[in-house]
Amino acid sequence: GDVYKRQVYTLKIIDDAAFYEVAKTWVTTGLTYGDKTEITTGLEQGMMVIDKGSRSVRTGQRVVKG
């Protein structure tokens, strides 16, 4: 399969978890099956990735987890 570098938006905890800050993170993708894609590098355990609504956020924006 093809391997690609992509940017995803992740959340970084700030202010004792009252808010999160949006950050762009480079990841390497592996296999895709249906609507699932393997991330092979770029994420660490416990990192939160923005899936729905990722087109309406920007790097540095403060958000609350909903």
Side-chain angles (χ1 to χ4, degrees):
D2 294 327
V3 173
Y4 298 99
K5 285 287 232 185
R6 297 184 184 181
Q7 289 182 339
V8 296
Y9 286 105
T10 56
L11 295 177
K12 180 173 66 172
I13 297 173
I14 55 174
D15 296 338
D16 296 324
F19 293 95
Y20 295 86
E21 186 173 300
V22 176
K24 244 183 219 178
T25 304
W26 282 99
V27 297
T28 304
T29 59
L31 301 175
T32 297
Y33 182 77
D35 64 347
K36 298 184 181 356
T37 300
E38 174 186 33
I39 303 294
T40 56
T41 64
L43 296 179
E44 296 175 17
Q45 184 174 350
M47 288 179 84
M48 290 182 280
V49 176
I50 299 174
D51 180 23
K52 299 201 186 310
S54 63
R55 293 179 186 203
S56 61
V57 297
R58 65 185 186 287
T59 300
Q61 181 179 356
R62 287 187 175 197
V63 297
V64 293
K65 188 173 135 187

Short mmCIF file of all heavy atoms in Angstrom, two decimals:
data_model
loop_
_atom_site.label_atom_id
_atom_site.label_comp_id
_atom_site.label_asym_id
_atom_site.label_seq_id
_atom_site.Cartn_x
_atom_site.Cartn_y
_atom_site.Cartn_z
N GLY A 1 0.81 -1.20 0.00
CA GLY A 1 0.00 0.00 0.00
C GLY A 1 0.85 1.25 0.00
O GLY A 1 2.02 1.23 0.30
N ASP A 2 0.22 2.34 -0.36
CA ASP A 2 0.91 3.62 -0.39
C ASP A 2 1.01 4.22 1.00
O ASP A 2 0.13 4.05 1.83
CB ASP A 2 0.15 4.60 -1.31
CG ASP A 2 0.19 4.17 -2.75
OD1 ASP A 2 1.20 3.57 -3.16
OD2 ASP A 2 -0.79 4.43 -3.47
N VAL A 3 2.11 4.93 1.24
CA VAL A 3 2.34 5.61 2.51
C VAL A 3 2.32 7.11 2.23
O VAL A 3 2.94 7.57 1.28
CB VAL A 3 3.69 5.18 3.12
CG1 VAL A 3 4.01 6.00 4.35
CG2 VAL A 3 3.68 3.71 3.45
N TYR A 4 1.59 7.86 3.04
CA TYR A 4 1.46 9.29 2.84
C TYR A 4 1.74 10.05 4.12
O TYR A 4 1.46 9.56 5.21
CB TYR A 4 0.03 9.65 2.39
CG TYR A 4 -0.36 9.04 1.07
CD1 TYR A 4 -1.13 7.90 1.02
CD2 TYR A 4 0.03 9.62 -0.13
CE1 TYR A 4 -1.51 7.34 -0.18
CE2 TYR A 4 -0.34 9.07 -1.34
CZ TYR A 4 -1.11 7.93 -1.36
OH TYR A 4 -1.48 7.38 -2.56
N LYS A 5 2.26 11.27 3.97
CA LYS A 5 2.38 12.21 5.09
C LYS A 5 1.17 13.11 5.03
O LYS A 5 0.83 13.64 3.98
CB LYS A 5 3.64 13.07 4.97
CG LYS A 5 4.91 12.34 5.31
CD LYS A 5 5.01 12.13 6.78
CE LYS A 5 6.32 12.62 7.33
NZ LYS A 5 6.46 12.30 8.74
N ARG A 6 0.48 13.26 6.14
CA ARG A 6 -0.71 14.10 6.21
C ARG A 6 -0.68 14.91 7.49
O ARG A 6 -0.04 14.53 8.46
CB ARG A 6 -1.98 13.26 6.21
CG ARG A 6 -2.16 12.46 4.96
CD ARG A 6 -3.46 11.72 4.99
NE ARG A 6 -3.51 10.90 3.78
CZ ARG A 6 -4.51 10.13 3.46
NH1 ARG A 6 -5.54 10.04 4.25
NH2 ARG A 6 -4.49 9.43 2.36
N GLN A 7 -1.42 16.01 7.47
CA GLN A 7 -1.58 16.81 8.68
C GLN A 7 -2.93 16.51 9.30
O GLN A 7 -3.93 16.42 8.59
CB GLN A 7 -1.50 18.30 8.37
CG GLN A 7 -0.11 18.75 8.00
CD GLN A 7 -0.07 20.25 7.76
OE1 GLN A 7 -1.07 20.88 7.49
NE2 GLN A 7 1.11 20.81 7.86
N VAL A 8 -2.94 16.34 10.60
CA VAL A 8 -4.19 16.21 11.35
C VAL A 8 -4.15 17.24 12.46
O VAL A 8 -3.09 17.75 12.82
CB VAL A 8 -4.38 14.79 11.95
CG1 VAL A 8 -4.49 13.75 10.86
CG2 VAL A 8 -3.27 14.43 12.92
N TYR A 9 -5.32 17.58 12.97
CA TYR A 9 -5.38 18.49 14.10
C TYR A 9 -5.49 17.68 15.39
O TYR A 9 -6.28 16.74 15.48
CB TYR A 9 -6.59 19.43 13.97
CG TYR A 9 -6.38 20.51 12.93
CD1 TYR A 9 -7.02 20.44 11.71
CD2 TYR A 9 -5.55 21.59 13.19
CE1 TYR A 9 -6.84 21.43 10.76
CE2 TYR A 9 -5.37 22.58 12.25
CZ TYR A 9 -6.02 22.50 11.04
OH TYR A 9 -5.82 23.48 10.10
N THR A 10 -4.67 18.05 16.37
CA THR A 10 -4.70 17.40 17.67
C THR A 10 -5.00 18.44 18.74
O THR A 10 -4.94 19.63 18.48
CB THR A 10 -3.35 16.71 17.97
OG1 THR A 10 -2.29 17.68 17.87
CG2 THR A 10 -3.07 15.57 17.01
N LEU A 11 -5.33 17.97 19.94
CA LEU A 11 -5.63 18.86 21.05
C LEU A 11 -4.55 18.74 22.12
O LEU A 11 -4.18 17.63 22.50
CB LEU A 11 -6.99 18.52 21.67
CG LEU A 11 -8.20 18.74 20.78
CD1 LEU A 11 -9.46 18.29 21.51
CD2 LEU A 11 -8.31 20.19 20.37
N LYS A 12 -4.06 19.89 22.58
CA LYS A 12 -3.06 19.94 23.64
C LYS A 12 -3.73 20.57 24.87
O LYS A 12 -4.34 21.63 24.77
CB LYS A 12 -1.88 20.80 23.17
CG LYS A 12 -0.77 20.95 24.17
CD LYS A 12 0.42 21.66 23.57
CE LYS A 12 0.08 23.10 23.24
NZ LYS A 12 1.24 23.89 22.83
N ILE A 13 -3.63 19.91 26.03
CA ILE A 13 -4.26 20.41 27.25
C ILE A 13 -3.55 21.67 27.73
O ILE A 13 -2.33 21.72 27.79
CB ILE A 13 -4.20 19.35 28.37
CG1 ILE A 13 -4.98 18.11 27.98
CG2 ILE A 13 -4.72 19.92 29.68
CD1 ILE A 13 -4.83 16.96 28.96
N ILE A 14 -4.35 22.71 28.03
CA ILE A 14 -3.82 23.92 28.65
C ILE A 14 -4.74 24.33 29.79
O ILE A 14 -5.89 23.88 29.86
CB ILE A 14 -3.66 25.08 27.64
CG1 ILE A 14 -4.98 25.36 26.93
CG2 ILE A 14 -2.56 24.81 26.65
CD1 ILE A 14 -4.94 26.57 26.04
N ASP A 15 -4.27 25.14 30.68
CA ASP A 15 -5.08 25.65 31.80
C ASP A 15 -5.72 24.53 32.61
O ASP A 15 -6.91 24.54 32.89
CB ASP A 15 -6.17 26.61 31.30
CG ASP A 15 -5.60 27.87 30.68
OD1 ASP A 15 -4.44 28.20 30.99
OD2 ASP A 15 -6.30 28.50 29.89
N ASP A 16 -4.92 23.55 33.01
CA ASP A 16 -5.41 22.45 33.84
C ASP A 16 -6.63 21.75 33.24
O ASP A 16 -7.60 21.45 33.94
CB ASP A 16 -5.71 22.93 35.25
CG ASP A 16 -4.46 23.43 35.96
OD1 ASP A 16 -3.39 22.83 35.74
OD2 ASP A 16 -4.55 24.41 36.72
N ALA A 17 -6.63 21.56 31.96
CA ALA A 17 -7.66 20.82 31.22
C ALA A 17 -8.99 21.58 31.10
O ALA A 17 -9.97 21.02 30.68
CB ALA A 17 -7.89 19.43 31.80
N ALA A 18 -9.02 22.87 31.47
CA ALA A 18 -10.23 23.65 31.26
C ALA A 18 -10.40 23.94 29.77
O ALA A 18 -11.51 24.02 29.27
CB ALA A 18 -10.16 24.96 32.04
N PHE A 19 -9.28 24.09 29.07
CA PHE A 19 -9.30 24.35 27.64
C PHE A 19 -8.26 23.46 26.96
O PHE A 19 -7.35 22.96 27.59
CB PHE A 19 -8.93 25.82 27.34
CG PHE A 19 -9.96 26.80 27.80
CD1 PHE A 19 -9.82 27.42 29.02
CD2 PHE A 19 -11.05 27.11 27.01
CE1 PHE A 19 -10.76 28.34 29.46
CE2 PHE A 19 -11.99 28.03 27.42
CZ PHE A 19 -11.85 28.64 28.66
N TYR A 20 -8.42 23.34 25.65
CA TYR A 20 -7.43 22.65 24.82
C TYR A 20 -6.99 23.60 23.73
O TYR A 20 -7.75 24.47 23.32
CB TYR A 20 -8.05 21.40 24.17
CG TYR A 20 -8.46 20.35 25.18
CD1 TYR A 20 -9.70 20.41 25.79
CD2 TYR A 20 -7.60 19.32 25.49
CE1 TYR A 20 -10.08 19.45 26.72
CE2 TYR A 20 -7.97 18.35 26.42
CZ TYR A 20 -9.21 18.44 27.03
OH TYR A 20 -9.58 17.49 27.94
N GLU A 21 -5.76 23.44 23.27
CA GLU A 21 -5.27 24.25 22.17
C GLU A 21 -5.11 23.36 20.95
O GLU A 21 -4.55 22.26 21.04
CB GLU A 21 -3.93 24.90 22.52
CG GLU A 21 -3.44 25.85 21.46
CD GLU A 21 -2.20 26.59 21.91
OE1 GLU A 21 -2.26 27.31 22.92
OE2 GLU A 21 -1.16 26.44 21.24
N VAL A 22 -5.59 23.83 19.81
CA VAL A 22 -5.52 23.08 18.56
C VAL A 22 -4.10 23.18 18.00
O VAL A 22 -3.52 24.26 17.96
CB VAL A 22 -6.53 23.63 17.54
CG1 VAL A 22 -6.40 22.91 16.20
CG2 VAL A 22 -7.95 23.52 18.07
N ALA A 23 -3.53 22.04 17.60
CA ALA A 23 -2.20 22.00 17.00
C ALA A 23 -2.25 21.13 15.75
O ALA A 23 -2.98 20.15 15.69
CB ALA A 23 -1.19 21.42 17.98
N LYS A 24 -1.47 21.54 14.73
CA LYS A 24 -1.33 20.71 13.53
C LYS A 24 -0.23 19.70 13.78
O LYS A 24 0.84 20.05 14.28
CB LYS A 24 -0.93 21.59 12.34
CG LYS A 24 -1.95 21.63 11.26
CD LYS A 24 -1.45 22.44 10.10
CE LYS A 24 -2.60 23.25 9.55
NZ LYS A 24 -2.22 24.10 8.47
N THR A 25 -0.48 18.45 13.44
CA THR A 25 0.48 17.39 13.68
C THR A 25 0.66 16.58 12.39
O THR A 25 -0.32 16.19 11.76
CB THR A 25 -0.04 16.46 14.80
OG1 THR A 25 -0.29 17.23 15.97
CG2 THR A 25 0.95 15.36 15.12
N TRP A 26 1.92 16.37 12.01
CA TRP A 26 2.20 15.54 10.83
C TRP A 26 2.15 14.07 11.22
O TRP A 26 2.74 13.67 12.22
CB TRP A 26 3.58 15.86 10.27
CG TRP A 26 3.62 17.11 9.47
CD1 TRP A 26 4.03 18.33 9.89
CD2 TRP A 26 3.21 17.27 8.11
NE1 TRP A 26 3.89 19.25 8.88
CE2 TRP A 26 3.39 18.63 7.78
CE3 TRP A 26 2.69 16.40 7.16
CZ2 TRP A 26 3.09 19.12 6.52
CZ3 TRP A 26 2.39 16.90 5.90
CH2 TRP A 26 2.59 18.25 5.59
N VAL A 27 1.44 13.27 10.43
CA VAL A 27 1.38 11.83 10.65
C VAL A 27 1.70 11.10 9.35
O VAL A 27 1.57 11.67 8.26
CB VAL A 27 -0.02 11.39 11.16
CG1 VAL A 27 -0.34 12.00 12.50
CG2 VAL A 27 -1.12 11.69 10.15
N THR A 28 2.10 9.86 9.49
CA THR A 28 2.30 8.99 8.33
C THR A 28 1.20 7.94 8.37
O THR A 28 0.97 7.32 9.41
CB THR A 28 3.67 8.29 8.39
OG1 THR A 28 4.69 9.28 8.50
CG2 THR A 28 3.92 7.46 7.15
N THR A 29 0.50 7.79 7.24
CA THR A 29 -0.58 6.82 7.18
C THR A 29 -0.13 5.56 6.49
O THR A 29 0.74 5.57 5.63
CB THR A 29 -1.81 7.41 6.45
OG1 THR A 29 -1.44 7.78 5.13
CG2 THR A 29 -2.36 8.62 7.18
N GLY A 30 -0.75 4.47 6.90
CA GLY A 30 -0.46 3.17 6.31
C GLY A 30 -1.67 2.65 5.56
O GLY A 30 -2.18 3.30 4.66
N LEU A 31 -2.16 1.52 5.99
CA LEU A 31 -3.27 0.86 5.32
C LEU A 31 -4.60 1.57 5.56
O LEU A 31 -4.82 2.14 6.62
CB LEU A 31 -3.39 -0.58 5.81
CG LEU A 31 -2.17 -1.47 5.60
CD1 LEU A 31 -2.39 -2.83 6.25
CD2 LEU A 31 -1.89 -1.63 4.11
N THR A 32 -5.47 1.52 4.56
CA THR A 32 -6.84 2.03 4.69
C THR A 32 -7.79 0.90 4.33
O THR A 32 -7.59 0.19 3.35
CB THR A 32 -7.07 3.23 3.75
OG1 THR A 32 -6.20 4.28 4.14
CG2 THR A 32 -8.50 3.71 3.81
N TYR A 33 -8.82 0.75 5.18
CA TYR A 33 -9.85 -0.24 4.92
C TYR A 33 -11.18 0.40 5.25
O TYR A 33 -11.44 0.76 6.41
CB TYR A 33 -9.63 -1.50 5.76
CG TYR A 33 -10.65 -2.57 5.49
CD1 TYR A 33 -10.56 -3.35 4.34
CD2 TYR A 33 -11.71 -2.78 6.34
CE1 TYR A 33 -11.51 -4.33 4.06
CE2 TYR A 33 -12.67 -3.75 6.08
CZ TYR A 33 -12.55 -4.52 4.93
OH TYR A 33 -13.49 -5.48 4.66
N GLY A 34 -12.01 0.60 4.24
CA GLY A 34 -13.29 1.27 4.46
C GLY A 34 -13.06 2.70 4.91
O GLY A 34 -12.33 3.45 4.27
N ASP A 35 -13.62 3.05 6.07
CA ASP A 35 -13.46 4.41 6.58
C ASP A 35 -12.38 4.51 7.66
O ASP A 35 -12.27 5.50 8.36
CB ASP A 35 -14.79 4.95 7.11
CG ASP A 35 -15.30 4.15 8.31
OD1 ASP A 35 -14.76 3.05 8.57
OD2 ASP A 35 -16.23 4.63 8.98
N LYS A 36 -11.56 3.47 7.80
CA LYS A 36 -10.50 3.46 8.81
C LYS A 36 -9.13 3.54 8.13
O LYS A 36 -8.89 2.87 7.14
CB LYS A 36 -10.60 2.20 9.66
CG LYS A 36 -11.90 2.11 10.43
CD LYS A 36 -11.91 0.92 11.33
CE LYS A 36 -13.15 0.71 12.13
NZ LYS A 36 -14.21 1.66 12.09
N THR A 37 -8.25 4.38 8.69
CA THR A 37 -6.89 4.53 8.17
C THR A 37 -5.89 4.33 9.30
O THR A 37 -6.04 4.92 10.37
CB THR A 37 -6.69 5.92 7.54
OG1 THR A 37 -7.63 6.08 6.48
CG2 THR A 37 -5.28 6.08 6.99
N GLU A 38 -4.89 3.52 9.04
CA GLU A 38 -3.84 3.27 10.02
C GLU A 38 -2.90 4.47 10.08
O GLU A 38 -2.48 5.00 9.05
CB GLU A 38 -3.06 2.02 9.57
CG GLU A 38 -1.86 1.70 10.39
CD GLU A 38 -1.07 0.54 9.80
OE1 GLU A 38 -1.03 0.38 8.57
OE2 GLU A 38 -0.49 -0.21 10.60
N ILE A 39 -2.57 4.92 11.29
CA ILE A 39 -1.55 5.96 11.50
C ILE A 39 -0.31 5.24 12.01
O ILE A 39 -0.34 4.61 13.07
CB ILE A 39 -2.01 7.01 12.55
CG1 ILE A 39 -3.34 7.65 12.15
CG2 ILE A 39 -0.92 8.05 12.76
CD1 ILE A 39 -3.29 8.50 10.91
N THR A 40 0.78 5.31 11.25
CA THR A 40 1.98 4.55 11.61
C THR A 40 2.99 5.37 12.41
O THR A 40 3.73 4.82 13.21
CB THR A 40 2.66 3.97 10.36
OG1 THR A 40 2.95 5.03 9.46
CG2 THR A 40 1.75 2.95 9.68
N THR A 41 3.05 6.68 12.18
CA THR A 41 3.93 7.55 12.97
C THR A 41 3.28 8.91 13.15
O THR A 41 2.41 9.31 12.38
CB THR A 41 5.31 7.77 12.29
OG1 THR A 41 5.11 8.46 11.05
CG2 THR A 41 6.05 6.47 12.04
N GLY A 42 3.72 9.62 14.19
CA GLY A 42 3.29 11.00 14.40
C GLY A 42 2.39 11.22 15.60
O GLY A 42 2.29 12.33 16.09
N LEU A 43 1.73 10.17 16.07
CA LEU A 43 0.87 10.30 17.24
C LEU A 43 1.45 9.51 18.40
O LEU A 43 2.09 8.49 18.20
CB LEU A 43 -0.54 9.78 16.94
CG LEU A 43 -1.35 10.51 15.90
CD1 LEU A 43 -2.71 9.84 15.72
CD2 LEU A 43 -1.52 11.98 16.25
N GLU A 44 1.21 10.03 19.60
CA GLU A 44 1.62 9.32 20.80
C GLU A 44 0.38 8.85 21.54
O GLU A 44 -0.71 9.40 21.36
CB GLU A 44 2.43 10.26 21.70
CG GLU A 44 3.72 10.73 21.08
CD GLU A 44 4.43 11.75 21.95
OE1 GLU A 44 4.12 11.85 23.15
OE2 GLU A 44 5.30 12.44 21.42
N GLN A 45 0.55 7.85 22.36
CA GLN A 45 -0.58 7.31 23.13
C GLN A 45 -1.24 8.42 23.93
O GLN A 45 -0.56 9.23 24.57
CB GLN A 45 -0.10 6.20 24.05
CG GLN A 45 -1.21 5.53 24.80
CD GLN A 45 -0.72 4.34 25.59
OE1 GLN A 45 0.41 3.90 25.45
NE2 GLN A 45 -1.57 3.82 26.45
N GLY A 46 -2.55 8.48 23.88
CA GLY A 46 -3.30 9.45 24.65
C GLY A 46 -3.59 10.76 23.93
O GLY A 46 -4.38 11.56 24.41
N MET A 47 -2.95 10.99 22.77
CA MET A 47 -3.22 12.23 22.03
C MET A 47 -4.64 12.20 21.48
O MET A 47 -5.13 11.16 21.05
CB MET A 47 -2.24 12.40 20.86
CG MET A 47 -0.85 12.76 21.28
SD MET A 47 0.28 12.94 19.86
CE MET A 47 -0.06 14.61 19.39
N MET A 48 -5.31 13.36 21.52
CA MET A 48 -6.67 13.47 20.98
C MET A 48 -6.60 14.08 19.59
O MET A 48 -5.96 15.11 19.39
CB MET A 48 -7.52 14.32 21.90
CG MET A 48 -7.84 13.64 23.21
SD MET A 48 -8.90 14.64 24.25
CE MET A 48 -7.70 15.78 24.92
N VAL A 49 -7.26 13.43 18.64
CA VAL A 49 -7.28 13.89 17.25
C VAL A 49 -8.68 14.45 16.95
O VAL A 49 -9.68 13.84 17.32
CB VAL A 49 -6.97 12.73 16.27
CG1 VAL A 49 -7.10 13.18 14.83
CG2 VAL A 49 -5.57 12.19 16.54
N ILE A 50 -8.72 15.61 16.31
CA ILE A 50 -10.00 16.19 15.91
C ILE A 50 -10.44 15.51 14.62
O ILE A 50 -9.74 15.56 13.62
CB ILE A 50 -9.89 17.71 15.70
CG1 ILE A 50 -9.47 18.38 17.01
CG2 ILE A 50 -11.21 18.28 15.18
CD1 ILE A 50 -9.19 19.86 16.88
N ASP A 51 -11.58 14.87 14.66
CA ASP A 51 -12.11 14.17 13.50
C ASP A 51 -13.22 14.99 12.88
O ASP A 51 -13.06 15.58 11.83
CB ASP A 51 -12.61 12.78 13.93
CG ASP A 51 -13.18 11.97 12.78
OD1 ASP A 51 -12.81 12.25 11.63
OD2 ASP A 51 -13.97 11.07 13.04
N LYS A 52 -14.34 15.09 13.54
CA LYS A 52 -15.46 15.87 13.02
C LYS A 52 -15.25 17.34 13.34
O LYS A 52 -14.86 17.69 14.44
CB LYS A 52 -16.76 15.37 13.63
CG LYS A 52 -17.04 13.92 13.31
CD LYS A 52 -18.49 13.59 13.47
CE LYS A 52 -18.82 12.14 13.29
NZ LYS A 52 -18.34 11.47 12.16
N GLY A 53 -15.46 18.19 12.35
CA GLY A 53 -15.29 19.62 12.56
C GLY A 53 -13.87 20.12 12.36
O GLY A 53 -13.57 21.27 12.64
N SER A 54 -12.99 19.27 11.84
CA SER A 54 -11.58 19.68 11.70
C SER A 54 -11.39 20.81 10.71
O SER A 54 -10.40 21.51 10.76
CB SER A 54 -10.71 18.48 11.33
OG SER A 54 -11.08 17.98 10.06
N ARG A 55 -12.35 21.01 9.81
CA ARG A 55 -12.21 22.10 8.84
C ARG A 55 -12.59 23.46 9.42
O ARG A 55 -12.38 24.48 8.79
CB ARG A 55 -13.06 21.81 7.61
CG ARG A 55 -12.52 20.62 6.86
CD ARG A 55 -13.33 20.29 5.67
NE ARG A 55 -12.81 19.05 5.10
CZ ARG A 55 -12.96 18.69 3.87
NH1 ARG A 55 -13.64 19.43 3.05
NH2 ARG A 55 -12.45 17.56 3.44
N SER A 56 -13.16 23.46 10.61
CA SER A 56 -13.59 24.72 11.21
C SER A 56 -12.69 25.17 12.36
O SER A 56 -13.04 26.09 13.09
CB SER A 56 -15.04 24.61 11.69
OG SER A 56 -15.15 23.62 12.68
N VAL A 57 -11.53 24.53 12.53
CA VAL A 57 -10.58 24.95 13.56
C VAL A 57 -9.29 25.41 12.92
O VAL A 57 -9.03 25.14 11.74
CB VAL A 57 -10.28 23.81 14.56
CG1 VAL A 57 -11.53 23.41 15.32
CG2 VAL A 57 -9.66 22.62 13.88
N ARG A 58 -8.48 26.12 13.70
CA ARG A 58 -7.18 26.58 13.21
C ARG A 58 -6.13 26.38 14.30
O ARG A 58 -6.46 26.34 15.49
CB ARG A 58 -7.24 28.03 12.76
CG ARG A 58 -7.52 29.00 13.86
CD ARG A 58 -7.71 30.44 13.33
NE ARG A 58 -7.84 31.37 14.41
CZ ARG A 58 -8.91 31.51 15.21
NH1 ARG A 58 -9.95 30.74 15.03
NH2 ARG A 58 -8.93 32.38 16.17
N THR A 59 -4.88 26.30 13.91
CA THR A 59 -3.78 26.12 14.84
C THR A 59 -3.77 27.27 15.86
O THR A 59 -3.93 28.43 15.49
CB THR A 59 -2.44 26.08 14.08
OG1 THR A 59 -2.48 24.98 13.18
CG2 THR A 59 -1.27 25.92 15.03
N GLY A 60 -3.60 26.93 17.13
CA GLY A 60 -3.56 27.91 18.19
C GLY A 60 -4.90 28.27 18.79
O GLY A 60 -4.97 28.92 19.83
N GLN A 61 -5.97 27.85 18.16
CA GLN A 61 -7.32 28.14 18.66
C GLN A 61 -7.55 27.39 19.97
O GLN A 61 -7.16 26.24 20.11
CB GLN A 61 -8.35 27.72 17.63
CG GLN A 61 -9.78 27.98 18.01
CD GLN A 61 -10.75 27.56 16.90
OE1 GLN A 61 -10.34 27.14 15.82
NE2 GLN A 61 -12.03 27.67 17.17
N ARG A 62 -8.19 28.06 20.93
CA ARG A 62 -8.56 27.39 22.19
C ARG A 62 -9.98 26.86 22.06
O ARG A 62 -10.86 27.57 21.58
CB ARG A 62 -8.47 28.36 23.36
CG ARG A 62 -7.04 28.66 23.72
CD ARG A 62 -6.96 29.47 24.96
NE ARG A 62 -5.56 29.65 25.34
CZ ARG A 62 -5.17 30.02 26.53
NH1 ARG A 62 -6.04 30.30 27.47
NH2 ARG A 62 -3.90 30.14 26.78
N VAL A 63 -10.15 25.62 22.49
CA VAL A 63 -11.46 24.98 22.39
C VAL A 63 -11.76 24.23 23.68
O VAL A 63 -10.87 23.98 24.48
CB VAL A 63 -11.53 24.00 21.19
CG1 VAL A 63 -11.34 24.72 19.87
CG2 VAL A 63 -10.48 22.90 21.33
N VAL A 64 -13.01 23.87 23.88
CA VAL A 64 -13.40 22.98 24.97
C VAL A 64 -13.81 21.65 24.34
O VAL A 64 -14.32 21.62 23.22
CB VAL A 64 -14.55 23.56 25.83
CG1 VAL A 64 -14.08 24.77 26.59
CG2 VAL A 64 -15.77 23.85 24.99
N LYS A 65 -13.55 20.58 25.04
CA LYS A 65 -13.92 19.26 24.53
C LYS A 65 -15.39 19.04 24.77
O LYS A 65 -15.90 19.25 25.86
CB LYS A 65 -13.08 18.20 25.27
CG LYS A 65 -13.22 16.81 24.73
CD LYS A 65 -12.23 15.92 25.43
CE LYS A 65 -12.91 14.65 25.83
NZ LYS A 65 -12.08 13.80 26.64
N GLY A 66 -16.11 18.65 23.71
CA GLY A 66 -17.54 18.49 23.86
C GLY A 66 -18.03 17.13 23.49
O GLY A 66 -17.36 16.24 23.13
#
